[in-house]
Amino acid sequence: MKNIMLVFGTRPEAVKMCPLVKELKRRNEARVCVCVTGQHKSMLKQVLEAFSINPDYDLSIMKEKQTLFEITVSILNNIRVILEKEKPDVVLVHGDTSTAFACALACFYLHIPVGHVEAGLRTYDLYSPYPEEFNRQAIGIMAEYHFAPTEKARENLLREGKKSSAIFVTGNTGIDALKTTVREDYNHDLLKWSSGSRLILLTAHRRENLGDPMRQIFQAVRRITEDYPDVKVIYPIHLNPLVREIAGSVLAGEERIRLIEPLDVVDFHNFLARAALILTDSGGIQEEAPGLGIPVVVLRTTTERPEGIESGALVLAGIGEKSIYDCVSGLLSDKDLYERMSRAGNPYGDGKASGRIADILLR
Ligand code: UD1
Ligand code: UDP
């Protein structure tokens, strides 16, 4: 029996890896071992609980306001003994986090093959997103199997010289997750509060946006709320204290803006499904919202998800107060533009990505 180990540590990796863990376990054709690094703590726990996954190992590395040095070094040091004990035939990592990078590096040092889930996304700007673009490219160098969500991601990998026999286009496992969480009959007190208004769901957390860009993002949101009385905003704030300080200083005290704790993934997906608009610098939400027909204003200067821009589901607003205000205001005022974005469709998969990855791994 093959020994497959999956390693992840942050909220988005968990959302996208849990469907694959479940699929591999369901087939019962390999030993499946789950190791979480605990790069995130409660935000990771929220996802593990939602998908009923009990990890075999938890490195519990999270510290408040942790640095990239601390994350990388503590994962490298802690995961070695687990890899040496488990001797997996393959280790699966996801995306572009420091958990994924450090784990792939540990596997490389120990000559353990790595499968990279969500491989091949690129901006080719190492500082945007930072440090994720570097992480994803570096994992690409170390990985033996590349599970690319889209044809474009596959083309990036081919251009970089990866063997075509090592690349598999599977769709994104995030869409698999979405298929299990959104419910017609869902309700929540906050959705009752926002009913009758146009709901903007906001998320922002990127390291490169901390400081002035994030302040400008929030100022734009505040102005939108002041100028559009039929708009209400819900912002589940990331637990990073640096994000919370800026959000509190710019957005607190506005009657039509609710600053709340991170939602668990079932709640978040259902809020998303009922929003008029999502404003976000998140990666995963750029894939989920088009899956639900919700237009996305991307609060960044670049995106490694160009498929959504090309289909018309996403619009890149930049990180300046004026450019964001103009973009959101345009969408709130122009019904045709809004409808076109809502109908753009979802280029990120059919919800069967985990099944395809499992087929390949177990073959
Ligand atoms: C990390 C990933 C980023 C991903 C994001 C998803 C890296 C370098 N960054 O960034 O790619 O988009 O996760 O959210 O891998 N915190 C808590 N509790 C939690 C989670 C975080 O208190 O459950 C606080 C801690 O103070 C922590 C800080 O948030 O130090 C930052 O967490 P960290 O994982 O370093 O960075 P993120 O910005 O979350
Ligand atoms: N998400 C969640 N609760 C929230 C906000 C986001 O469960 O309050 C989910 C969201 O649906 C997506 C993932 O978290 O699956 C995105 O995580 P994040 O934005 O933190 O990271 P990124 O995708 O940018 O790496």
Side-chain angles (χ1 to χ4, degrees):
M1 226 186 198
K2 263 189 194 157
N3 189 358
I4 302 176
M5 183 186 268
L6 298 94
V7 181
F8 50 92
T10 64
R11 171 172 69 189
E13 294 169 275
V15 172
K16 292 166 165 181
M17 287 292 249
C18 284
L20 182 54
V21 173
K22 284 184 112 60
E23 179 67 20
L24 287 167
K25 288 200 171 185
R26 189 184 64 77
R27 296 195 185 195
N28 206 18
E29 293 172 50
R31 172 171 151 69
V32 178
C33 175
V34 176
C35 172
V36 296
T37 62
Q39 177 178 336
H40 284 174
K41 200 172 185 170
S42 53
M43 284 162 55
L44 175 67
K45 192 162 165 258
Q46 282 182 312
V47 185
L48 292 171
E49 283 176 0
F51 287 95
S52 308
I53 303 285
N54 286 315
D56 300 278
Y57 298 97
D58 184 350
L59 307 183
S60 294
I61 64 126
M62 198 199 88
K63 284 187 183 163
E64 192 172 294
K65 298 187 183 174
Q66 61 204 357
T67 65
L68 298 176
F69 292 89
E70 287 164 330
I71 303 173
T72 308
V73 169
S74 48
I75 293 174
L76 266 180
N77 281 333
N78 284 294
I79 207 161
R80 176 182 178 173
V81 34
I82 292 164
L83 293 171
E84 285 174 340
K85 177 169 165 244
E86 284 289 333
K87 297 188 177 45
D89 295 300
V90 61
V91 171
L92 303 179
V93 299
H94 184 277
D96 59 7
T97 65
S98 290
T99 283
F101 165 67
C103 176
L105 186 59
C107 291
F108 171 67
Y109 288 161
L110 295 172
H111 295 276
I112 298 171
V114 169
H116 189 194
V117 181
E118 202 184 79
L121 282 66
R122 297 287 185 266
T123 63
Y124 292 108
D125 175 350
L126 285 185
Y127 289 91
S128 178
Y130 172 84
E132 289 83 3
E133 177 65 15
F134 165 79
N135 286 343
R136 206 188 294 264
Q137 287 197 33
I139 298 165
I141 294 172
M142 296 183 276
E144 196 145 325
Y145 311 103
H146 309 270
F147 300 107
T150 64
E151 203 45 57
K152 256 192 197 318
R154 176 174 177 272
E155 284 161 18
N156 291 337
L157 292 163
L158 285 174
R159 243 194 336 271
E160 291 168 19
K162 313 286 189 268
K163 281 186 291 183
S164 102
S165 59
I167 309 171
F168 308 91
V169 179
T170 61
N172 198 304
T173 54
I175 305 297
D176 303 13
L178 205 55
K179 300 260 175 200
T180 66
T181 49
V182 177
R183 290 197 306 262
E184 283 282 321
D185 61 350
Y186 177 88
N187 217 330
H188 191 286
D189 282 350
L190 274 170
L191 292 179
K192 288 182 194 142
W193 167 77
S194 66
S195 86
S197 300
R198 287 190 283 183
L199 172 61
I200 293 184
L201 194 57
L202 169 67
T203 85
H205 71 83
R206 300 234 76 84
R207 258 187 164 77
E208 69 272 18
N209 285 348
L210 291 171
D212 188 55
M214 206 166 273
R215 192 161 289 110
Q216 297 219 23
I217 289 172
F218 296 150
Q219 274 158 358
V221 172
R222 201 179 166 110
R223 270 182 59 206
I224 285 288
T225 322
E226 285 160 3
D227 293 355
Y228 290 84
D230 67 332
V231 161
K232 285 186 175 165
V233 177
I234 296 178
Y235 177 16
I237 317 181
H238 190 288
L239 289 179
N240 188 338
L242 302 170
V243 176
R244 296 171 91 87
E245 281 158 26
I246 308 170
S249 74
V250 183
L251 295 175
E254 169 61 58
E255 199 183 298
R256 279 181 287 109
I257 300 179
R258 287 286 161 96
L259 304 181
I260 61 168
E261 293 304 310
L263 290 164
D264 84 37
V265 62
V266 174
D267 289 325
F268 188 81
H269 284 173
N270 281 285
F271 275 48
L272 192 54
R274 286 152 184 88
L277 210 56
I278 171 107
L279 272 54
T280 189
D281 66 3
S282 162
I285 296 168
Q286 290 179 57
E287 296 148 350
E288 293 169 348
L292 296 167
I294 311 299
V296 187
V297 175
V298 183
L299 307 168
R300 292 171 51 179
T301 51
T302 59
T303 179
E304 58 290 329
R305 276 126 175 134
E307 301 85 352
I309 302 278
E310 279 168 26
S311 77
L314 317 177
V315 56
L316 208 54
I319 46 175
E321 178 182 337
K322 182 174 182 323
S323 65
I324 296 167
Y325 178 90
D326 290 348
C327 182
V328 177
S329 165
L331 264 164
L332 290 171
S333 318
D334 184 339
K335 208 161 174 254
D336 290 343
L337 173 64
Y338 179 86
E339 293 294 329
R340 269 202 308 282
M341 282 189 78
S342 317
R343 283 196 306 266
N346 157 36
Y348 296 108
D350 56 3
K352 296 179 183 159
S354 302
R356 293 190 187 97
I357 297 172
D359 285 344
I360 295 155
L361 288 168
L362 298 171
R363 203 182 286 156

